[in-house]
């Protein structure tokens, strides 16, 4: 099963991006995921103020600068992993949290083709 491990960052912390030490820890974690075969994909995201929200539910698309909600927490990166069950995904998320020094949200995908 595939799981999304979302990295939750805060606007109130000392930095909006990973430190050099955190990046080194993240690289070690990524290498471990690749070695054990759970790695699918990962990426970091630019700051929320770089976002554009598009709403095309009406007559014409509406483009709005900035994130779709104002909050002190935001998604700053993610991993997509393949794990046999939720217990393994949670164990890996705990390791991810330690590596990046941030909270991690774990969610299963609703079927992957």
């Amino acid at each position: 099963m595939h799981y999304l491990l979302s990295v939750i960052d805060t606007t109130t912390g000392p930095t909006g991006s990973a430190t050099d030490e955190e990046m080194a820890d993240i690289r070690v974690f990524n290498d471990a995921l690749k070695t054990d075969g759970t790695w699918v994909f990962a990426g970091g995201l630019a700051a929320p103020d770089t976002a554009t929200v598009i709403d095309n539910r009406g007559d014409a698309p509406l483009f709005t600068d900035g994130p779709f909600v104002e909050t002190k927490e935001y998604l700053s990166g993610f991993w997509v992993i393949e794990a046999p069950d939720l217990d393994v995904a949670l164990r890996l998320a705990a390791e991810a949290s330690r590596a990046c020094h941030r909270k991690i949200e774990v969610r299963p995908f609703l079927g992957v083709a």
Side-chain angles (χ1 to χ4, degrees), residues 25-107:
D25 291 343
I26 291 166
R27 280 191 288 279
V28 169
F29 177 70
N30 288 346
D31 290 343
L33 290 177
K34 292 173 185 176
T35 298
D36 73 15
T38 56
W39 171 273
V40 175
F41 182 75
L45 300 172
D49 63 357
T50 65
T52 303
V53 176
I54 301 99
D55 184 353
N56 197 18
R57 296 175 292 173
D59 294 332
L62 174 64
F63 296 83
T64 307
D65 290 337
F68 72 99
V69 294
E70 294 294 327
T71 180
K72 291 182 180 179
E73 294 184 329
Y74 63 93
L75 178 66
S76 65
F78 63 90
W79 285 273
V80 176
I81 63 166
E82 184 171 358
D85 56 46
L86 181 60
D87 289 338
V88 172
L90 294 175
R91 179 182 57 76
L92 292 170
E95 293 176 22
S97 178
R98 180 166 304 280
C100 70
H101 302 193
R102 285 162 179 76
K103 294 189 291 185
I104 302 292
E105 177 186 79
V106 178
R107 295 175 68 182

